[in-house]
Amino acid sequence: MSDLNPDAAAYAGKLRVRVCGICLQENKLLLVRHSHTLGNTAFWAPPGGGLHYGETMQACLRREFAEETGLQVTVGRFLFVNEFLQPPLHAVEFFFEVKPVGGTMITGTDPESAADRQLIQEVQWLTIREIQRIPTTDKHRTLQHLLSLDDLLGLPHNFMA
């Protein structure tokens, strides 16, 4: 039996397609702190969430940023793909560069979850040093070995707009 947070049980036992945003501003990365999920005490990750049938990745990312952070964003270039596989959770995550263009930052909610079952606890801009101080098990795999926030921006490519 796993130590999966019961509030995350809706995501278990199925493959999810997620779209996530790398949002940098003044040498800080925008991150969302979730309550514990599986094998951790908290879970820090870039904003993002599940892609709905018929929704474009860009529309999903704009919706997720609004829901989780209160910010309106423009979606830039595709950066990378990450596969998260830690049974019973499995997700394929597409990361894009995003820039805030409006809204007011808040600690948002996940509309699919009841008010008393929310995983989102905090939204915060963090420096590379602050991210490095978070225990490895408490942060998204893409954040675990960063030497610089620029590491998240990858190399230029031409296969996706």
Side-chain angles (χ1 to χ4, degrees):
M1 190 65 169
S2 73
D3 65 346
L4 180 68
N5 183 330
D7 295 340
Y11 307 120
K14 57 185 164 190
L15 174 64
R16 295 183 68 222
V17 175
R18 299 184 73 248
V19 186
C20 307
I22 300 299
C23 187
L24 297 173
Q25 189 169 280
E26 298 175 6
N27 294 315
K28 293 182 179 182
L29 175 65
L30 184 62
L31 293 176
V32 176
R33 180 173 55 88
H34 302 83
S35 59
H36 78 92
T37 51
L38 183 63
N40 53 28
T41 58
F43 186 66
W44 288 90
L51 182 66
H52 295 164
Y53 176 80
E55 181 179 45
T56 67
M57 288 187 185
Q58 290 81 359
C60 173
L61 198 47
R62 288 190 298 270
R63 175 181 52 77
E64 288 290 342
F65 261 78
E67 291 172 359
E68 293 185 1
T69 72
L71 297 177
Q72 304 301 315
V73 296
T74 58
V75 180
R77 67 189 170 106
F78 170 74
L79 297 172
F80 56 88
V81 173
N82 178 66
E83 181 179 33
F84 178 86
L85 179 54
Q86 188 175 354
L89 302 176
H90 190 186
V92 176
E93 303 169 314
F94 295 84
F95 283 79
F96 289 83
E97 186 174 16
V98 301
K99 300 219 179 296
V101 294
T104 301
M105 194 166 89
I106 59 164
T107 297
T109 59
D110 184 349
E112 289 94 21
S113 298
D116 63 340
R117 307 292 260 172
Q118 291 293 314
L119 292 171
I120 297 172
Q121 295 185 330
E122 179 182 5
V123 176
Q124 191 173 346
W125 294 97
L126 296 178
T127 66
I128 186 65
R129 297 289 172 244
E130 291 168 326
I131 294 167
Q132 290 170 336
R133 284 195 292 267
I134 298 169
T136 301
T137 57
D138 289 357
K139 57 189 167 186
H140 192 278
R141 180 171 135 189
T142 59
L143 307 174
Q144 291 179 359
H145 302 290
L146 289 181
L147 299 177
S148 161
L149 292 178
D150 291 339
D151 293 345
L152 293 168
L153 298 179
L155 299 172
H157 55 72
N158 298 306
F159 59 88
M160 273 189 87

